[in-house]
């Protein structure tokens, strides 16, 4: 359904299909979850990942739950409520998950009195519409963001904020693709993004498919690249943007932002308004996921730290709004002060 060249998740005739991103770039394997627990497992172990894609997967996950083959005649309301709880508990930082589940609860409120099959079909229509809506937000964001670029630019991105992380063409990568097509981008520096290498494995895979010249660098090279004048702009995605414009994104983003400020490199964040959370006042209020220590003490499953050395694995960090040059959403390019700018974009009161 997505109008993109590739999509990491789709609803087929016989149900949900999720591209297992843990196997990329080596293998393109599709998961076919039949129970909500399997959708939750896919989200938790990052088979499906990236804030908007997690939201879309959760929406389809609700539909999967209603059609559970183990319990074909079970009470749908009870099943919906349990599925929403399970899905919400999978990952804490990406607010798109809660956003999608709250929209789902509203949709279900209007559907649940219908005959069983019609209610389930109605929820599937809703999930498909939410997916299509993400495609459109990505498209608009890419158009807006491309205007920030100039011919010859060399941009740096961190983690993967591309088609693999969304329902559409991506957020940061969508912007990069649009800039490239308009002749406003010469090259992309792709941070490898330790510990799980979303940059090296996934963003580089997307860059190849998009035909964008790129080079993969270790996260620790960013300062050296900038000090040599080799980076003209940074563009990243986000898992949650607080009401004041503080930005949570993949661990290491904050380091890139500090370096960008030091070297006078514009630092942009591209994210749909479904990532902006007016209920979270500042970055200090954003829940940060802590993942298994082994993801740090091992690389691709192979132990790299000595037996007995524990790791510490914060999956995200917060970049304060003052380090962000502009936030690009489907509603436009927003500049500081972000409090009123984001409130206006969300259609709420502009004061703060
Ligand atoms: O842990 P991940 O791979 O889900 O983290 C993803 C990111 O940090 C992305 O940059 C963010 O979700 C934006 S995706 C458009």
């Amino acid at each position: 359904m997505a109008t993109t060249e590739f999509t990491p998740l789709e609803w087929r005739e016989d149900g949900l299909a999720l591209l297992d991103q843990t196997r990329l770039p080596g293998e393109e394997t599709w998961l076919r979850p039949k129970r909500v627990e399997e959708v939750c497992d896919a989200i938790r172990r990052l088979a499906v990942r990236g804030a908007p894609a997690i939201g879309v997967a959760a929406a389809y996950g609700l539909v999967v739950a209603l059609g559970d083959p183990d319990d074909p005649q079970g009470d749908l309301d009870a099943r919906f409520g349990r599925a929403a709880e399970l899905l919400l508990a999978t990952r804490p930082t990406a607010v798109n998950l809660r956003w999608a589940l709250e929209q789902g609860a509203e949709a279900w409120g209007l559907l649940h009195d219908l005959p069983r099959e019609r209610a389930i079909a109605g929820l599937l229509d809703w999930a498909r519409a939410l997916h299509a809506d993400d495609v459109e937000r990505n498209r608009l964001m890419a158009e807006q963001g491309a205007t920030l670029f100039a011919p010859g630019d060399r941009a740096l991105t961190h983690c993967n904020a591309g088609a693999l992380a969304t329902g559409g063409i991506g957020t940061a990568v969508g912007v990069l693709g649009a800039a490239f097509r308009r002749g406003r981008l010469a090259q992309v520096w792709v941070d490898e993004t330790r510990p799980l290498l979303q940059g090296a494995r996934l963003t580089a895979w997307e860059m190849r498919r998009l035909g964008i010249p790129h080079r993969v660098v270790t996260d620790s090279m960013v300062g050296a690249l900038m000090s040599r004048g080799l980076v003209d702009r940074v563009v990243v995605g986000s898992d949650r943007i607080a009401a004041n414009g503080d930005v949570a994104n993949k661990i290491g983003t904050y380091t890139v932002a500090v370096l960008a400020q030091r070297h006078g490199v514009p630092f942009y964040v591209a994210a749909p308004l479904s990532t902006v959370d007016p209920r979270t006042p500042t970055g200090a209020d954003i829940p940060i996921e802590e993942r298994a220590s082994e993801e740090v003490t091992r690389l691709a499953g192979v132990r790299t730290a000595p037996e007995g050395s524990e790791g510490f694995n914060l999956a995200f960090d917060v970049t304060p709004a003052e380090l962000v040059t502009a936030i690009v959403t489907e509603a436009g390019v927003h500049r500081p002060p972000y409090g009123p700018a984001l409130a206006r974009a969300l259609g709420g009161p502009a004061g703060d």
Side-chain angles (χ1 to χ4, degrees), residues 46 49-52 54 91 159-161 165-166 171 198 237-239 249-250 316:
L46 312 197
R49 47 147 298 283
I54 293 171
R91 297 194 73 190
C159 194
N160 171 263
T166 66
T171 59
Q198 286 93 330
S238 173
D239 286 79
N249 192 47
K250 179 52 58 194
F316 300 96

Side-chain angles (χ1 to χ4, degrees), residues 121-176:
L123 198 71
L124 175 57
D125 287 345
W126 162 79
R128 283 189 156 131
L130 184 132
H131 189 172
D133 172 66
D134 192 52
V135 172
E136 181 58 9
R137 287 171 193 253
N138 284 193
R139 191 186 68 73
L140 292 169
M141 213 182 309
E143 298 296 314
Q144 305 278 358
T147 62
L148 297 167
F149 285 67
D153 270 356
R154 296 147 305 172
L156 181 137
T157 192
H158 189 74
C159 194
N160 171 263
L164 290 167
T166 66
I169 58 174
T171 59
V173 171
V175 167
L176 290 170

Side-chain angles (χ1 to χ4, degrees), residues 53-103:
I54 293 171
V56 176
Y60 285 131
L62 293 172
V63 184
V64 169
L66 296 187
D68 191 328
D70 297 335
D71 186 20
Q73 291 314 316
D75 177 66
L76 291 187
D77 280 331
R79 213 184 273 175
F80 184 97
R82 178 173 170 274
E85 263 175 39
L86 290 175
L87 287 160
L88 187 62
T90 51
R91 297 194 73 190
T93 305
V95 77
N96 306 64
L97 176 61
R98 188 191 78 201
W99 177 87
L101 292 171
E102 286 181 353
Q103 306 248 333

